[in-house]
Amino acid sequence: MEKATLTFTDVATTVTVPAGTRIIEMSEKVGSGITYGCREGECGTCLTHVIEGAENLSEPSALELRVLAENMAGRKDRLACQCRILGGAAKVRPG
Amino acid sequence: MRSLIGPDGPVALAEGVHWIGALDPDLRSFDVIVRTANGTSYNAYAVRGSGGVAIIDTVKAEFAGAFFARLEAVARYDEIRFIVLNHLEPDHTGALPELLRRAPQAQVLLSPRGLPLLRALLRDDFGRYDIRPVTTGETASLGDCALEFFTTPYVHWPDTQCTWFARQRILFTCDLFGSHFCDARLFNDEAGDFRLAFEHYFDRIMRPFRSFVTEALDLLEPLDFALIAPSHGPILRTNPRDYLQRTRALAKARLGAGPEKALLVIYVSAYGATAGLAQAIHDGAEQEPGVRAALFDLEGAEIAPLLDLIEAADGIALGSPTINGDAVRRIWDLMAALAEIELRGKLGAAFGSYGWSGEAVRMIETRLQGLKLRLPEPGLRVRLHPSAEELAEGQDFGRRLAAHLCGRAPARVLDAPEAAAG
Ligand SMILES: Cc1cc2nc3c(=O)[nH]c(=O)nc-3n(C[C@H](O)[C@H](O)[C@H](O)COP(=O)(O)O)c2cc1C
Ligand SMILES: [Fe+2]
Ligand SMILES: [Fe+2]
């Protein structure tokens, strides 16, 4: 299976994951402050700031784009419950 | 009791600006969490310009009658150009669906974060109305004057905003600067002593968002306001800036933070096993330069003052034995109370002794994670009293937590299955 790595800077942790993993699936397991909320891309609670590797993440869906806009998120912000890492590496922290 | 008899009609704040809210003298608790010895008011306002009228917020549903009666005394429904929603909590939007039925031509102005709430509030009718999200600096023209909006999230909910009416130098702040204090004399210079209500309101409503409050104050302070019109309690027309300064003070951590990173190790222990672990964690953390650790046996501590300390600290490690498959009551009480303070960015950790199943540590971790603390180290559990080796492990755990607080923790590299088991 293709691998990718996710780094959560708030807990100084890097984790190797199967490509296609949603950020939220790992952030909670490693204890990062990127947590919870509705898991359905509605609440914006899992807002995540992408420090590096934005190009390795899945394209935001229309739903994610709408919630990001409503939360006045910056260009480097994503929703951890929607966003998947497709390969390579990405570095994130709570938004 | 003149103070409790409502003014019959609308009350003018300035030329073209009226209070059209409602009084609720009998309320004794608000939002479940605020005690309201003096009742409250739901302040709504009407602002008139040459091009029409703007209604700013409404009232709780059961007071809609009083609101509409006062509104009708200052404007016709077909004159309403805008409905400004500074906040979508039901105490301010209770009369909104009916107001929209009566003034369907009005444009609804709210912050972008208000949109999902408005969708839920109006359901199928959402698409029928003219709804416009606005952010800081955007305006709505009333012909010869205008309203300007300031996005101030989390001065209660994510959707909160403030509205500025430059012509009369009035700032409409909704919950911010509010107090649950019902007094029909309406203005701060005429109402009874509402200082306790003002402070209590901040503590219960705003304190969990205190850094957002500070950001809002930074945004609003440059405005040359002559009057602050909040949505609860007295309208602040005499020395309004005093209330901003007081709020600034309230929004600071009750206890100041020192130059060092502060880690609080808080525990409960029946036979001393968890206590021994707590001491080791504390001692380990103290060894890390730049970190000050403190140890608390929660059985001997009051929760409220401890919250003040946690508010100012950088991290907390909570310890509980497992008793009947659970963490102990005192720890749950503390963890329940944590919702009353701001925890953004704080570090959390859990530890405890157990006999056979040891659920407590995982439960504490789950609660702390639910409160959005970061938990860089998996919780530490020992069976019965810690051995010398386990005490050394506790010290190491404390040292690692301290290193995380200082940003000096060595990077951890995990494989997904390993992380899943952690
Ligand atoms: C009333 C009681 C109930 C207990 N229930 C559990 C339990 O459900 N699961 C478990 O792992 N240990 C259980 N224990 C064992 C304690 O967790 C164990 O004795 C632990 O070392 C106590 O730590 P302390 O000295 O810090 O209180 C129980 C102990 C007592 C006294
Ligand atoms: Fe509110
Ligand atoms: Fe309110």
Side-chain angles (χ1 to χ4, degrees), chain B residues 268-275 321-325 353-359 384:
Chain B
V268 172
S269 186
Y271 289 97
T274 305
T322 296
I323 303 277
N324 299 338
S353 173
Y354 69 105
W356 52 94
S357 53
E359 291 91 339
L384 302 182

Side-chain angles (χ1 to χ4, degrees), chain B residues 324-384:
Chain B
N324 299 338
D326 202 351
V328 299
R329 178 70 180 249
R330 285 294 285 167
I331 289 287
W332 281 118
D333 287 345
L334 174 66
M335 293 198 298
L338 286 177
E340 296 170 20
I341 56 170
E342 188 172 78
L343 299 165
R344 263 217 285 192
K346 290 197 201 301
L347 174 150
F351 61 94
S353 173
Y354 69 105
W356 52 94
S357 53
E359 291 91 339
V361 167
R362 179 52 60 83
M363 286 175 167
I364 294 170
E365 290 185 292
T366 302
R367 169 65 178 160
L368 294 182
Q369 224 177 0
L371 291 166
K372 306 207 179 337
L373 279 80
R374 58 194 173 100
L375 275 64
E377 293 289 332
L380 185 61
R381 298 192 315 170
V382 302
R383 203 187 280 268
L384 302 182

Side-chain angles (χ1 to χ4, degrees), chain B residues 19 22 30 34 36 43 59 65 127 143 150 171 191 202 261 267 334 340 342 357 376 382 397 399 408:
Chain B
W19 176 85
F30 179 85
V34 195
T36 52
N43 299 328
V59 299
F150 290 85
L171 184 59
F202 182 92
K261 296 285 179 189
Y267 68 93
L334 174 66
E340 296 170 20
E342 188 172 78
S357 53
V382 302
F397 183 76
R399 246 191 317 269
R408 283 198 292 265

Side-chain angles (χ1 to χ4, degrees), chain B residues 34 38 50 64 101 118 129 148 154 180 225 235 250 257 297 330 407:
Chain B
V34 195
N38 305 94
S50 65
R101 278 190 282 276
L118 188 60
Y129 300 115
E148 184 177 349
Y154 289 104
H180 288 311
F225 50 82
I235 296 164
L250 291 170
D297 181 344
R330 285 294 285 167

